[in-house]
Amino acid sequence: MEFMTGTALLDAVVLSVVAREGTYGYKITQEIRTIMNISESTLYPVLRRLQKDNCLETYDEAYNGRNRRYYKITSNGMIRLDEYRRQWIQYRTKIDAVLFGIPAGTAQKEGDYE
């Protein structure tokens, strides 16, 4: 079973991947697929929207005789990513409290869920 992936979560994951290093669409897709099922046809509209929102910028580089479009996070993108991270921690704490009986405000560590 997979949980539904909302727009904000997908934006947060994409920004996080791009924040590590400027990269291109196919590589972003492959990295995200390690944690969720996503197609390139889903990813590219997300990249365009984040670019339109001034969270990502693009640049092209030649690769094997073709241009490859790379994505780089902007300062606005870092601000949004930081906000997503704060919201994720709050959300995760609430979900953990319900699913695992972990009281809010309790530090969680590896192995708490076993």
Side-chain angles (χ1 to χ4, degrees):
M1 178 177 117
E2 288 192 27
F3 293 98
M4 296 293 292
T5 305
T7 302
L9 181 57
L10 191 53
D11 286 0
V13 170
V14 168
L15 288 171
S16 182
V17 168
V18 175
R20 284 187 230 131
E21 65 177 315
T23 190
Y24 53 97
Y26 179 76
K27 189 172 177 185
I28 297 168
T29 303
Q30 294 308 304
E31 189 160 344
I32 292 174
R33 282 183 179 162
T34 65
I35 60 166
M36 66 178 64
N37 189 14
I38 185 173
S39 66
E40 289 182 56
S41 62
T42 300
L43 176 67
Y44 283 100
V46 173
L47 291 169
R48 282 192 295 276
R49 183 181 66 252
L50 289 171
Q51 186 180 0
K52 181 178 155 272
D53 291 346
N54 198 27
C55 292
L56 296 176
E57 56 188 29
T58 63
Y59 60 96
D60 294 338
E61 283 189 12
Y63 178 79
N64 287 342
R66 303 178 340 175
N67 273 341
R68 180 182 276 173
R69 174 146 298 160
Y70 285 80
Y71 296 86
K72 179 180 168 187
I73 195 164
T74 64
S75 57
N76 286 344
M78 283 304 301
I79 291 167
R80 185 174 294 179
L81 177 57
D82 287 342
E83 180 58 30
Y84 281 141
R85 287 174 173 163
R86 280 190 293 279
Q87 290 177 10
W88 176 256
I89 290 167
Q90 293 170 356
Y91 178 75
R92 184 184 68 203
T93 300
K94 292 174 185 177
I95 296 297
D96 285 351
V98 173
L99 291 180
F100 302 107
I102 299 172
T106 302
Q108 299 146 22
K109 17 179 214 317
E110 204 65 32
D112 278 350
Y113 309 110
E114 300 174 332

